Amino acid sequence: MKNKINKQQLILEFVSVVFAVILALVLNGWRESSALNANLVKVEKSILKEVQRNDSLIRQSHTYRGDLLQKLYSNQNLLLAVSTSDLDFDVNNNSKLVDFFKTALLFGQKEYHTVQVVQEGGDRVLILDNSVFDLKLEAGTLQVLGLGNVELKIPDLNNQSWDLAKATGTITEMDIALVEKLGTVNALIETYLKTSESAVQLVYSGAQKGLMPVLEDLYNLESKIMKANSQLLEELD
């Protein structure tokens, strides 16, 4: 009889231990799931805030860059304007203009290796080393127009949501469509930032060659980012 009671107690204790272990595992899994869900909500809110901010900045930049490119395409980018009354020589004298531009420091350089003013029919162009600019005389003002003194106005974009989603593990819980769209935006911004670095280097070097293509690349990337942002925002709604 005593052995029978001991067996019953052992079975009861065994069942209790197994139940406790299972319950602990279930509770632990529930806590982990709850924590992951809470993180997922936080991360998605962070993504939404970041995308909305980036989208506002990129749209402003896109408008500015479009206007800048239009000025450059139509050769309306004014680099220098000097009233002829402030000059002590005849601006129709090309050799005098050459002497003037040797010391004008148009782009902050101390000197140019090559300075020329060339007459092309009724138009004149200014050559400074490897760069070429248009010279115009309008309403008593000597103007220099062309590609130069470009203000890039690169937007300060944040691109941390992708890394945050991976670091917290929430990326595995996200809808696949959201992950794909977030990845697309992340890749485009990475490309945009690298292209921006190239543009900055070209502007600081004062080189004309290669600047227009990189400005066009920035403009086109901004268009793609805006489109990708719109798709991502739709997914987050």
Side-chain angles (χ1 to χ4, degrees):
M1 184 71 177
K2 187 176 181 180
N3 289 337
K4 186 176 181 181
I5 293 174
N6 288 339
K7 287 181 180 179
Q8 289 177 341
Q9 287 178 338
L10 288 173
I11 292 171
L12 182 60
E13 289 176 1
F14 176 76
V15 170
S16 298
V17 170
V18 171
F19 177 76
V21 170
I22 293 173
L23 181 61
L25 290 173
V26 170
L27 289 174
N28 186 58
W30 178 81
R31 281 194 294 268
E32 289 181 354
S33 178
S34 296
L36 191 58
N37 287 335
N39 284 337
L40 180 60
V41 171
K42 290 180 181 178
V43 169
E44 289 188 350
K45 285 183 178 179
S46 176
I47 293 171
L48 178 61
K49 185 176 180 180
E50 180 179 279
V51 175
Q52 288 174 333
R53 177 185 178 277
N54 284 348
D55 195 57
S56 175
L57 292 174
I58 209 75
R59 288 181 184 279
Q60 293 174 31
S61 180
H62 189 257
T63 299
Y64 165 75
R65 210 163 314 285
D67 292 341
L68 174 61
L69 284 169
Q70 189 57 45
K71 282 184 180 180
L72 295 174
Y73 289 145
S74 59
N75 200 28
Q76 295 299 312
N77 188 45
L78 183 63
L79 302 176
L80 180 70
V82 182
S83 174
T84 55
S85 62
D86 294 332
L87 302 174
D88 59 358
F89 60 89
D90 182 4
V91 293
N92 293 306
N93 187 321
N94 290 345
S95 62
K96 293 290 186 180
L97 278 176
V98 168
D99 292 336
F100 169 72
F101 284 113
K102 282 181 178 178
T103 57
L105 303 181
L106 190 59
F107 299 110
Q109 293 175 252
K110 292 183 179 180
E111 63 179 65
Y112 302 101
H113 298 293
T114 302
V115 179
Q116 291 179 295
V117 174
V118 179
Q119 196 82 30
E120 295 183 345
D123 299 322
R124 286 185 294 178
V125 297
L126 169 66
I127 300 173
L128 298 177
D129 292 339
N130 296 320
S131 300
V132 180
F133 309 93
D134 283 348
L135 286 176
K136 288 186 179 181
L137 185 60
E138 290 185 357
T141 301
L142 178 66
Q143 299 177 346
V144 180
L145 301 149
L147 181 57
N149 284 355
V150 172
E151 189 176 359
L152 291 174
K153 292 188 178 180
I154 303 297
D156 182 23
L157 302 179
N158 288 332
N159 196 27
Q160 300 173 348
S161 293
W162 179 259
D163 291 335
L164 179 62
K166 289 195 296 183
T168 57
T170 52
I171 196 168
T172 59
E173 299 299 313
M174 290 180 180
D175 183 81
I176 186 64
L178 175 58
V179 174
E180 290 176 351
K181 289 178 172 60
L182 180 59
T184 298
V185 170
N186 176 75
L188 284 170
I189 291 179
E190 287 293 328
T191 302
Y192 182 81
L193 294 176
K194 290 178 181 177
T195 306
S196 299
E197 291 176 4
S198 299
V200 169
Q201 291 174 1
L202 283 169
V203 168
Y204 279 129
S205 71
Q208 281 185 326
K209 186 177 180 181
L211 185 54
M212 279 296 288
V214 81
L215 289 175
E216 291 168 341
D217 287 345
L218 285 173
Y219 182 77
N220 292 330
L221 280 168
E222 286 165 352
S223 297
K224 291 179 180 179
I225 291 172
M226 287 191 299
K227 182 178 179 180
N229 278 344
S230 296
Q231 294 174 344
L232 180 54
L233 287 170
E234 287 179 5
E235 198 66 37
L236 287 166
D237 284 343

